[in-house]
Amino acid sequence: MKIPDQSTLYDGVEDRPTLHGNACSACGRVYFPPLAIGCEKCGAPETDLRPESIAASGTVYSLAQIHLHRGKAPVPFTIAEIQLDAGPLIRATLAPAADHVRIGDRVSAEWAVVRTEDNGDELVEPVFTASPAAAVTTNGAPS
């Protein structure tokens, strides 16, 4: 397994992805991707931002299915905005098998092979899928 160039954004050693962000030691605000300009919430300087490991789990805020893409990713695929449990709102790809995921569902990241290099190395990135205990309807009742 090989992590692409964005390896500073997540940890490829663990079984499940962990995101590398930072947090303000003055107010506690968590950022992903990490900021290098100081805290946007309280104005604390960059020196007050400390590295933070962020669990790649949260709630789907919005979804968009992509049908036309100039990159090498096969279409269609789905991009989700995910409100991480730690606070940041991120955009991420849903796993192909996660086509049943809806707004409000709980999701967590898993590793997916995005490409195999000529030398056989597999490049992996985190993709999000429904969390095991995420089967709830919009009224909050178990489905």
Side-chain angles (χ1 to χ4, degrees), residues 1-20 32 54-57 77-80 82 84 90-96 107-115 123-129:
M1 174 170 65
K2 180 180 175 188
I3 302 297
D5 293 336
Q6 305 99 321
S7 63
T8 58
L9 295 178
Y10 37 83
D11 187 350
V13 177
E14 302 296 324
D15 288 341
R16 304 221 29 113
T18 300
L19 306 177
H20 294 171
F32 182 83
I54 303 169
S57 61
F77 62 91
T78 303
I79 298 292
I82 299 164
L84 295 176
I90 66 167
R91 287 188 186 107
T93 306
L94 289 185
V107 292
S108 57
E110 60 185 34
W111 294 115
V113 175
V114 295
R115 185 172 66 243
L123 277 79
V124 296
E125 290 185 351
V127 297
F128 282 76
T129 189

Side-chain angles (χ1 to χ4, degrees), residues 39 91 97 101 126 130:
C39 183
R91 287 188 186 107
V101 170

